[in-house]
Amino acid sequence: RTAMQKTLAQLGLENARISFHVEPMDQISAQGAALVELYFSANKGEPLQPLSKIASGGEVSRIALALKTISADMVKERTLIFDEIDVGISGQVGLEVAAHIRKLSCAAQVLCITHLPQTAAIADHHYFLYKKEIQNRTVTQIKQLSPGEHVLEIARMFSGNDTTKVSIEAAKQLIEQVH
């Protein structure tokens, strides 16, 4: 199996297959000398098809993460930004995605925008983004959370705005589990 297939399997896509279809162009343009399209199949027995036509948001997110993970040693990016890379997943797959993000953070600074507790729990620094009206304008604000606020925010991700002792304890356990 290729590194890509192994990584996708670790991210909950055990039967995924992926290939690049390259079609040479008649003339070289600003976009290059060939059209390249990613083909994908998530399930056994299903043909490879254009990724843009068949993949779910969660599948696209995991493919992007897998590509970044396997190319981390080749690409010398200093900062990786993932905007909801974990969309459409939860549970054990969420933990696997978080583990891959944590692994990437050893080689580069990783910024994640997430609503998934598993991803938020791996953060060394947790920031909360929110909107506020100032002088009749809506502006985005950011606040770095203290360790205690980090726990409370993950608890809120579990249970909504009404955090409970159970959700706070679950948040503490999750943070301990992923570190």
Side-chain angles (χ1 to χ4, degrees), residues 25-34:
M25 293 170 47
D26 293 334
Q27 293 183 345
I28 295 175
S29 72
Q31 287 76 34

Side-chain angles (χ1 to χ4, degrees), residues 8-14 58 61-62 65 85-103 112 114-123 158 174 177-178:
L8 287 172
Q10 292 168 349
L11 296 173
L13 295 171
E14 295 83 9
S61 296
R62 287 180 275 172
L65 180 58
I85 192 77
D86 47 18
V87 70
I89 60 171
S90 61
Q92 183 60 39
V93 174
L95 288 171
E96 293 294 336
V97 167
H100 277 78
I101 293 170
R102 186 117 178 113
K103 180 180 172 186
C112 292
T114 187
H115 298 282
L116 190 68
Q118 291 92 325
T119 303
I122 65 169
F158 280 134
L174 178 60
Q177 179 183 354
V178 297

Side-chain angles (χ1 to χ4, degrees), residues 34-176:
L35 296 172
V36 179
E37 189 168 20
L38 190 57
Y39 275 53
F40 173 73
S41 173
N43 303 304
K44 280 185 182 178
E46 295 299 317
L48 289 165
Q49 296 183 52
L51 178 72
S52 62
K53 297 194 186 306
I54 65 160
S56 70
E59 289 165 343
V60 170
S61 296
R62 287 180 275 172
I63 290 166
L65 180 58
L67 286 168
K68 289 289 188 184
T69 300
I70 64 173
S71 66
D73 293 336
M74 296 178 270
V75 178
K76 300 301 179 209
E77 295 173 323
R78 296 283 185 221
T79 302
L80 299 170
I81 301 172
F82 295 120
D83 185 1
E84 299 188 18
I85 192 77
D86 47 18
V87 70
I89 60 171
S90 61
Q92 183 60 39
V93 174
L95 288 171
E96 293 294 336
V97 167
H100 277 78
I101 293 170
R102 186 117 178 113
K103 180 180 172 186
L104 282 173
S105 75
C106 294
Q109 176 182 3
V110 179
L111 302 174
C112 292
I113 298 169
T114 187
H115 298 282
L116 190 68
Q118 291 92 325
T119 303
I122 65 169
D124 291 329
H125 304 281
H126 189 156
Y127 295 87
F128 181 73
L129 295 166
Y130 60 98
K131 293 184 179 180
K132 184 176 182 180
E133 190 175 306
I134 298 175
Q135 297 177 346
N136 294 326
R137 292 202 59 223
T138 302
V139 296
T140 302
Q141 302 274 296
I142 187 169
K143 177 186 180 205
Q144 183 173 2
L145 301 181
S146 69
E149 290 169 326
H150 173 61
V151 171
L152 290 174
E153 181 59 20
I154 292 170
R156 190 194 60 74
M157 290 174 158
F158 280 134
S159 64
N161 288 334
D162 297 327
T163 56
T164 64
K165 289 180 184 179
V166 172
S167 64
I168 292 169
E169 187 57 37
K172 288 177 182 176
Q173 288 178 4
L174 178 60
I175 293 167
E176 187 176 306

